[in-house]
Amino acid sequence: MIRFWFVFDFENYKNPPGGLKLGCGVTAISKEDALNILKEKIFRDRLPPILNVVENIKITDLDNNDVLPNMNSPVFRGIWFPMGYDNG
């Protein structure tokens, strides 16, 4: 499993989903799998432009004040930040 951190460009995206201003953490078997999870769980097949994606993100590199206290376990496949977008 690979931990990904995505940052999106919401400038021209109408009605962006909440909680994604800092980015989104996804654990998946590949980048393609991570993108499919994002489409299924958050964006309903309409992904905004991606500004940056970090593969194998170190949890210690994430924001201590906003991300770390508000995330699910990054060990399992699915969205771990922000909370509330995954079923697991």
Side-chain angles (χ1 to χ4, degrees), residues 7-74:
V7 177
F8 303 101
D9 178 3
F10 290 120
E11 186 174 329
N12 295 314
Y13 192 91
K14 195 173 188 176
N15 300 319
L20 299 170
K21 184 177 179 182
L22 295 174
C24 184
V26 181
T27 297
I29 57 174
S30 66
K31 184 177 177 183
E32 181 180 341
D33 184 40
L35 292 171
N36 286 332
I37 292 169
L38 288 168
K39 289 176 189 176
E40 177 186 328
K41 300 288 185 175
I42 300 177
F43 295 107
R44 301 181 189 174
D45 294 322
R46 198 176 137 253
L47 276 173
I50 297 171
L51 292 175
N52 189 32
V53 60
V54 179
E55 188 172 327
N56 292 315
I57 186 77
K58 294 178 184 174
I59 299 304
T60 56
D61 290 343
L62 297 171
D63 182 86
N64 285 322
N65 296 319
D66 293 315
V67 176
L68 296 184
N70 296 298
M71 61 182 258
N72 290 319
S73 173

